[in-house]
Amino acid sequence: MLTEARDRAVDVLCDPSLSHVVDLVAWPAGSGGVMVANAFGSALLSASGASVLRGRNPVASQDPLAFTPLAAELADPSPANLDNAYPWAYERLSSLFLASAAPDLVVVHTGKHYWPAQGGHLGEHGSLNVVQSRAPLLLSGAGVVARGLLPAAARVVDVAPTLAWLAGTPLASLGDMDGAALVDLAVAGAAQHVVGLLWDGCNSNSLYAMAASGELPNVARLLGSGCALQGGAIAEFPSVTLVNHTSALTGVGPGRHGIVNNAYFDRRSAVQVLTNNAATWHRWSEWLAPGVQTVFERVSGRCASVNEPVDNGADYSTFGLVRASGSSDGAKSMNSLLPDPLQDPLATQEHVVSNADYAWSSSVDAIGVEQVLGLWPAGSPGEWPRLMWWNTLLTDTGHHEGGPHSPIARDAMRDADRRLGVFVDHLDAIGAFDSTVFLLTSDHGSEGADPTCAGDWDEPLRDAGIEFRDEAYGFIYLGHS
Ligand SMILES: [Zn+2]
């Protein structure tokens, strides 16, 4: 029944009339295999490679360095499937389909698909392709040799093991993660303190280029005494926020941590699970699969998680405070406590005035600065965290609003850099900078949509008489409505 419905859905979705919006579809093929298909061909992916069943393998190129540096990305915006790259396609897709809440069929948007009616923006992420999946990855500070930009790539699941290892957790106890510590980039044991910085939705090429041109002086300072991967860190699929915050901080993919999208369908309770929302972020641990540990649970010493839903085991946690407040709608009802972004000298006022999302994210990030400064009191080194994780929201807001490389995305990065500067200067002033190692990354990339590229796959699926739910626009649960 499911197989028959899926075959019919795949036929509809692989019709050439939808190829401008459907990059490819994927579904589990049994025995851990994954099928991928589009208008140009289909293939069975497995741990041992790909066998092409028709035409051309839709994920034939998996080069994680494709479309780097920035000039290469700008020269070919929204590359077509034939020219695109899908790093670790099998590993990422097969991880997703291990999860009990995984859909029966995944539809991957083309990079240029513009879908404002369903919540899409000028800048988007979520897809399997390399530009939407690529987060920056920069290491700097105690134990890191200044080597600049390196022609290499990592994965978002490598972040947790790297942070834990830098904070003194033995590598031997991290072997159960999907990711691995980036042991070639640093020396463990050299730092007293580890700081993880996540700039949500920040385009990797952009970050490196703006650091090089002097537009992000504090990132440039870190890169000047550290290194960064030109291919960045490739997000788990789908390349969306809560899936990858969780992957970054647990070191495992969605198949094991269980948070498969920002919204998904729980077949057992037959309800939609809405994870990535200001009203629900504080409930993150309710959706985590049993037995999955965060990096905070693997590091001995004081851990802090700032503005980050993923917080199990952290001694200090913003969302722990939200839960303690007893508010029923989480961070949403805390809005009255946020500082006025119009009074914030670190915020680009032009956007604060004209864009409500920019204003709100600026307020949240301003609270972030207050928290990180409070976590490192002058003269009390015993209180400084062994591991501090600091999530920045505004970068994602700017990238969605105008697309990567737009003025508003770049201003969001400049604001984030100024906030980072306040913190780094503070570490300098209290004498903590030289004993700290920094890791700067993101949860996914960002790609510009093409406003002329409209279209919808739900309508032709319905016209074909297929019963389905489409969660988060692309997760197809067959036989449910
Ligand atoms: Zn995000």
Side-chain angles (χ1 to χ4, degrees), residues 125 200-201 240-241 245 396 443-444:
H125 54 86
D200 201 298
V240 299
T241 294
H245 280 245
D396 190 60
D443 50 346
H444 47 71

Side-chain angles (χ1 to χ4, degrees), residues 351-368:
H351 306 305
V352 168
V353 169
S354 61
N355 187 297
D357 289 340
Y358 199 101
W360 186 78
S361 300
S362 297
S363 299
V364 173
D365 285 353
I367 286 279

Side-chain angles (χ1 to χ4, degrees), residues 61-412:
S61 169
Q62 304 202 8
D63 177 11
L65 271 70
F67 309 108
T68 66
L70 179 60
E73 183 184 328
L74 295 178
D76 193 2
S78 310
N81 177 264
L82 295 170
D83 306 315
N84 221 325
Y86 305 85
W88 290 287
Y90 168 70
E91 289 80 358
R92 296 194 287 151
L93 288 169
S94 62
S95 171
L96 168 68
F97 289 126
L98 279 177
S100 59
D104 300 307
L105 181 66
V106 157
V107 191
V108 178
H109 295 261
T110 57
K112 63 181 178 177
H113 189 200
Y114 184 56
W115 37 283
Q118 302 231 41
H121 300 94
L122 286 172
E124 268 309 332
H125 54 86
S127 289
L128 189 70
N129 77 41
V130 68
V131 173
Q132 295 196 20
S133 302
R134 182 187 288 125
L137 196 290
L138 182 159
L139 272 172
S140 177
V144 182
V145 177
R147 287 192 287 167
L149 214 49
L150 303 170
R155 298 175 61 184
V156 164
V157 285
D158 297 333
V159 170
T162 302
L163 293 172
W165 169 67
L166 289 169
T169 307
L171 281 181
S173 70
L174 301 172
D176 58 321
M177 293 181 175
D178 293 342
L182 302 171
V183 296
D184 297 336
L185 302 184
V187 175
Q192 297 294 311
H193 310 282
V194 181
V195 170
L197 305 159
L198 187 145
W199 286 14
D200 201 298
C202 186
N203 179 285
S204 176
N205 284 331
S206 241
L207 182 89
Y208 300 152
M210 288 176 69
S213 66
E215 291 172 88
L216 304 175
N218 294 291
V219 173
R221 175 181 175 183
L222 294 181
L223 186 51
S225 61
C227 62
L229 302 185
Q230 185 166 322
I234 301 297
E236 291 299 288
F237 179 80
S239 51
V240 299
T241 294
L242 211 62
V243 172
N244 281 286
H245 280 245
T246 307
S247 295
L249 288 168
T250 62
V252 301
R256 289 176 61 195
H257 65 58
I259 297 173
V260 295
N261 209 325
N262 289 338
Y264 54 90
F265 184 61
D266 179 9
R267 294 182 184 85
R268 280 167 306 182
S269 52
V271 294
Q272 184 201 48
V273 181
L274 186 63
T275 55
N276 192 43
N277 186 288
T280 58
W281 280 326
H282 64 296
R283 295 176 53 197
W284 168 84
S285 67
E286 295 174 32
W287 306 305
L288 186 70
V292 176
Q293 284 191 305
T294 70
V295 65
F296 309 116
E297 295 172 290
R298 293 180 185 254
V299 167
S300 53
R302 186 169 151 72
C303 292
S305 182
V306 176
N307 283 2
E308 169 61 60
V310 178
D311 64 356
N312 281 5
D315 303 283
Y316 173 89
S317 152
T318 311
F319 284 97
L321 300 177
V322 171
R323 287 188 293 273
S325 77
S327 101
S328 57
D329 60 354
K332 225 174 164 181
S333 64
M334 312 292 271
N335 282 349
S336 60
L337 304 177
L338 293 175
D340 181 0
L342 291 166
Q343 308 298 322
D344 185 350
L346 304 177
T348 302
Q349 288 301 318
E350 174 196 343
H351 306 305
V352 168
V353 169
S354 61
N355 187 297
D357 289 340
Y358 199 101
W360 186 78
S361 300
S362 297
S363 299
V364 173
D365 285 353
I367 286 279
V369 176
E370 280 183 30
Q371 292 172 84
V372 299
L373 295 179
L375 285 162
W376 299 73
S380 304
E383 291 182 38
W384 301 344
R386 179 75 165 143
L387 170 63
M388 185 190 84
W389 177 261
W390 176 13
N391 175 30
T392 289
L393 261 73
L394 180 68
T395 37
D396 190 60
T397 308
H399 279 73
H400 276 297
E401 197 60 35
H405 326 302
S406 64
I408 192 170
R410 294 160 70 91
D411 284 336

Side-chain angles (χ1 to χ4, degrees), residues 431-455:
F433 184 83
D434 292 338
S435 58
T436 300
V437 62
F438 301 85
L439 184 156
L440 171 61
T441 188
S442 186
D443 50 346
H444 47 71
S446 176
E447 182 175 19
D450 174 355
T452 68
C453 180

